[in-house]
């Protein structure tokens, strides 16, 4: 499963410079090898609303799952030393921030079996006004660096009144960035991986894709054989409770985006009595199995693409169709372009000799679906590639998605993404034959992206560690009001997911943003921002069902 973060988060994490490692870098099993790991949803046929049948089906899926069980209130004696930690704060090279390391047990069932070192950063409340405690933030992924996010955006860009009264805090989840990052491939190996043909036309190309998935998985397994078994969302949520205690807070206040909503909801399910003010923006539905998640996210990207297509043909520089062209026609033209690249990649001027392949181009287009602010850049990149035989613009978009730096190194985002997703749920597919049988459904969900996203969902079939999680509901009985935010044309976390999660959480208040892009807070809607700020600062949740534009 792969939700990815908001574009703002992605650029922030790159500029934050926090997730570098000894090896030159790499990532997960998808690009469009990874993009499908856990996508989000769909409103069918490009519509921003969900049909009655779809809603009923989703409710039925949730009803068939068990609910996450809350942990006992008392801290077990074996975990007490972790809860009594006093972080040793120090400067960390970013003005206004201090950093520390907090330990958590590698295996919560065997606390004496070794530790995981968690990187934590904070910026203290600036005042004026009474301090409200710590506000933890997580940008999603899974695999996004929360520290990179807080240092480069949240800690300096969240509303001043929020930063005045909260210590802004981030902890990189286990296996991510500064917290013992999982590594799988070096830079050149990752370059090869991201260029792998993700829409195989024959047995030879299918074997090549499977080999790429195996190589990626084997690299991850060789790098962190023990840690790889303990990077689940449940374990990361339990880590947050240890961090909460180390910070001296009675309750956890939290803003999570994209996959961060699953992390926050899981915390609420495990520790409802210690749940403070939670904002879950771009929500995920924990009750769905991996194949369903991938299929619905595929449809979500189709919804976003159709919105882009309608906008594109109104612009004078749209290379995919003239004024009046339908979204279907725009999609056909883009698909035809991808097929040309499959046969003959185009030059990019890249210093490492990379050409624009179908897989890299598809990833570049998908990257631009996260934020309507990137649509102009996408039009320009497509024009250069389609009319000038210059793939450099789409390569830039793809590299940004993968967090590839100018020196050819990659952050560990994609590695951690696969590690968490493949542990949280059983694989979407077990074999290429299963993918082929599902292609019609995926291509119906998205004629443009369906084939590639279906094949991308095969990555966990070759993972070296068996999944420990299953689909489940999260009810969090007894938790304080939780604000669940959904965007109607969100590509990566479909709006239906927000409705589903809000329907599961006993104290949820659903807040809807009628618009494009991934997540809503801090993206230009004064209605959304003022509503969330009022909740964070005064504890006043919105009326359930409130809508903003």
């Amino acid at each position: 499963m792969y939700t990815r973060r908001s574009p703002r988060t992605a650029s922030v994490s790159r500029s934050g410079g926090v997730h570098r490692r000894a090896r030159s870098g790499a990532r997960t099993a998808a690009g469009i090898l990874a993009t499908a790991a856990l996508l989000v949803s769909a409103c069918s046929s490009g519509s921003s609303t969900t049909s009655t049948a779809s809603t009923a089906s989703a409710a039925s899926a949730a009803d068939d799952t068990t609910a996450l069980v809350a942990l006992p209130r008392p801290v077990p004696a074996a975990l007490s030393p972790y809860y009594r930690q006093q972080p040793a704060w120090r400067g960390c090279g970013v003005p206004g921030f201090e950093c520390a390391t907090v330990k958590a047990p590698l295996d919560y069932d065997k606390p004496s079996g070794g530790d995981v070192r968690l990187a934590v950063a904070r910026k203290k409340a600036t005042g004026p006004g009474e301090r409200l405690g710590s506000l933890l933030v997580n940008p999603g992924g899974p695999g996004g660096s929360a520290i990179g996010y807080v240092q480069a955006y949240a800690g300096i860009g969240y509303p001043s009144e929020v930063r005045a009264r909260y210590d802004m805090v981030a902890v990189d989840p286990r296996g991510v960035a500064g917290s013992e990052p999982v590594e799988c491939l070096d830079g050149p190996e990752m370059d090869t991986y991201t260029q792998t043909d993700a829409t195989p036309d024959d047995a030879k190309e299918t074997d090549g894709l499977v080999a790429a998935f195996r190589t990626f998985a084997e690299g991850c397994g060789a790098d962190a054989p023990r840690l790889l078994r303990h990077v689940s969302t449940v374990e990361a949520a339990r880590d947050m409770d240890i961090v909460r205690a180390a910070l001296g807070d009675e309750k956890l206040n939290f803003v999570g985006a994209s996959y961060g909503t699953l992390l926050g909801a899981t915390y609420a399910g495990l520790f409802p009595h210690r749940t403070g003010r939670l904002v879950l923006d771009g929500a995920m539905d924990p009750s769905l199995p991996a194949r369903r998640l991938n299929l619905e996210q595929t449809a979500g990207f189709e919804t976003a693409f159709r919105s882009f297509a309608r906008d594109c043909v109104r612009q004078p520089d749209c290379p995919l169709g003239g004024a009046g062209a339908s979204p279907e026609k725009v999609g056909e033209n883009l698909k035809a372009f991808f097929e040309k690249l499959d046969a003959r990649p185009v030059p990019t001027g890249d210093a490492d000799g990379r050409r624009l392949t179908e897989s890299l181009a598809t990833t570049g287009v998908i990257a631009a679906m996260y934020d309507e602010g990137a649509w102009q850049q996408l039009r320009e990149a497509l024009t250069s590639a389609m009319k000038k035989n210059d793939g450099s613009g789409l390569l830039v978009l793809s590299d940004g998605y993968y967090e590839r730096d100018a020196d050819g190194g990659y952050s560990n985002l994609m590695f951690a993404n696969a590690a968490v997703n493949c542990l949280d749920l059983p694989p979407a597919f077990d074999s290429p034959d299963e993918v082929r049988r599902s292609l019609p459904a995926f291509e119906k969900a998205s004629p443009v992206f369906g084939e590639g996203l279906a094949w991308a969902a095969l990555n966990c079939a070759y993972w070296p560690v068996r999944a420990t999680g299953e689909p489940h509901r999260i009810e969090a009985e007894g938790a304080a009001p939780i604000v669940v935010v959904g965007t109607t044309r969100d590509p990566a976390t479909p709006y239906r997911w927000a409705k589903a999660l809000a329907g599961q959480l006993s104290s949820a208040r659903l807040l809807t943003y009628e618009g494009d892009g991934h997540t809503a807070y801090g993206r230009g809607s004064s209605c959304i921002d003022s509503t969330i700020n009022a909740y964070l600062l005064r504890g006043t949740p919105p009326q359930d069902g409130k809508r903003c534009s």
Side-chain angles (χ1 to χ4, degrees):
M1 48 177 71
Y2 185 73
T3 60
R4 191 60 170 148
R5 303 148 302 153
S6 68
R8 170 173 286 172
T9 302
S11 61
V12 164
S13 294
R14 289 196 299 276
S15 62
V18 293
H19 35 229
R20 279 279 49 90
R21 17 177 240 274
R23 298 171 68 180
S24 61
R27 310 249 311 220
T28 222
I32 179 157
L33 293 182
T35 301
L38 166 130
L39 299 173
V40 178
S41 130
C43 315
S44 58
S45 318
S47 167
S48 63
T49 59
T50 305
S51 69
T52 301
S54 176
T55 302
S57 176
S60 176
D63 289 344
D64 289 341
T65 60
T66 59
L68 183 65
V69 178
L71 293 171
R73 291 195 182 200
V75 175
L79 296 180
S80 293
Y82 294 102
Y83 276 81
R84 292 196 299 264
Q85 292 178 84
Q86 299 291 321
W89 296 100
R90 62 188 184 281
C92 46
V94 180
F97 289 87
E98 52 188 1
C99 294
T101 299
V102 172
K103 293 181 180 180
L106 175 66
D107 184 347
Y108 276 92
D109 290 333
K110 300 176 181 177
S112 61
D115 300 333
V116 171
R117 297 180 300 277
L118 305 172
V120 184
R122 75 176 178 186
K123 185 178 184 183
K124 288 188 174 181
T126 57
E130 180 185 1
R131 179 181 175 277
L132 295 174
S134 304
L135 180 64
L136 271 70
V137 295
N138 183 281
S145 172
I147 291 180
Y149 178 69
V150 76
Q151 290 180 340
Y153 171 59
I156 58 177
Y158 263 34
S160 58
E161 58 267 39
V162 173
R163 292 182 285 114
R165 302 186 63 191
Y166 282 102
D167 291 348
M168 299 297 296
V169 179
V171 53
D172 283 341
R174 52 175 64 201
V176 175
S179 297
E180 302 193 20
V182 173
E183 303 291 345
C184 303
L185 304 175
D186 63 23
E189 291 169 337
M190 194 61 185
D191 280 347
T192 299
Y193 179 78
T194 61
Q195 296 174 76
T196 300
D197 189 341
T199 56
D201 299 317
D202 53 34
K204 181 178 180 181
E205 291 183 352
T206 300
D207 290 344
L209 180 60
V210 168
F213 285 143
R214 289 186 184 279
T215 297
F216 185 94
E218 289 167 1
C220 296
D223 178 77
R226 293 189 66 212
L227 179 62
L228 218 59
R229 292 172 168 79
H230 297 288
V231 292
S232 69
T233 298
V234 166
E235 288 163 312
R238 297 189 69 173
D239 292 346
M240 288 202 303
D241 198 51
I242 288 175
V243 172
R244 172 202 58 77
L247 294 168
D249 292 321
E250 291 186 5
K251 294 193 174 184
L252 181 85
N253 302 308
F254 177 83
V255 177
S258 195
Y259 164 79
T261 67
L262 180 61
L263 190 59
T266 300
Y267 181 90
L270 294 173
F271 305 103
H273 49 286
R274 294 203 278 268
T275 295
R277 299 171 187 177
L278 262 62
V279 177
L280 308 179
D281 184 11
M284 290 180 57
D285 180 358
S287 72
L288 300 179
R291 189 180 304 186
R292 174 78 173 275
L293 284 167
N294 280 282
L295 182 61
E296 294 195 0
Q297 188 177 46
T298 297
F301 276 102
E302 181 68 17
T303 297
F305 175 75
R306 291 171 69 89
S307 188
F308 162 76
R310 286 188 288 268
D311 177 78
C312 187
V313 299
R314 291 195 292 264
Q315 311 302 326
D317 62 342
C318 181
L320 296 172
S326 67
E328 290 82 4
K329 182 60 177 176
V330 172
E332 290 171 5
N333 292 339
L334 180 59
K335 184 68 173 177
F337 170 60
F338 287 159
E339 290 171 354
K340 288 182 180 180
L341 291 176
D342 190 29
R344 182 173 296 180
V346 303
T348 64
D350 177 60
D352 294 315
R354 292 177 300 158
R355 296 172 72 84
L356 183 69
T357 61
E358 179 188 14
S359 56
L360 290 174
T362 305
T363 301
V365 173
I366 282 176
M369 294 299 100
Y370 283 83
D371 184 358
E372 65 272 27
W375 288 357
Q376 179 180 345
Q377 181 183 359
L378 176 59
R379 291 196 310 271
E380 294 170 353
L382 285 167
T383 297
S384 293
M386 298 173 71
K387 299 184 177 181
K388 302 176 183 178
N389 206 43
D390 176 6
S392 58
L394 283 171
L395 185 64
V396 166
L397 285 167
S398 178
D399 283 351
Y401 185 89
Y402 282 117
E403 294 190 359
R404 183 188 191 272
D405 61 32
D407 296 326
Y410 291 75
S411 81
N412 100 304
L413 169 64
M414 296 307 294
F415 302 139
N417 179 269
V420 175
N421 287 329
C422 295
L423 197 61
D424 273 356
L425 289 174
F429 299 110
D430 290 326
S431 69
D433 286 343
E434 285 192 3
V435 177
R436 291 190 188 94
R437 288 193 291 270
S438 292
L439 283 177
F442 275 79
E443 291 178 318
K444 180 179 180 181
S446 176
V448 178
F449 305 119
E451 181 183 10
L453 294 181
W455 282 106
L458 182 62
N459 65 324
C460 288
Y462 308 102
W463 203 243
V465 175
R466 184 181 296 274
T468 56
E470 293 284 350
H472 57 271
R473 301 187 314 280
I474 300 179
E475 298 172 352
E477 292 284 350
I482 297 171
V483 177
V484 177
V485 187
T487 297
T488 55
R489 294 185 295 279
D490 191 315
T493 50
Y495 179 59
R496 193 207 64 74
W497 288 359
K499 293 174 67 177
L501 181 61
Q504 295 168 39
L505 292 168
S506 61
S507 61
R509 307 291 178 88
L510 178 63
L511 175 63
T512 297
Y513 173 57
E514 297 177 349
D516 296 292
H518 184 39
T519 72
Y521 186 44
R523 288 175 49 83
S525 169
S526 59
C527 173
I528 290 289
D529 292 354
S530 62
T531 300
I532 292 176
N533 292 344
Y535 170 67
L536 291 176
L537 294 171
R538 297 189 292 276
T540 307
Q543 181 178 357
D544 187 35
K546 179 174 181 176
R547 302 182 77 89
C548 295
S549 59

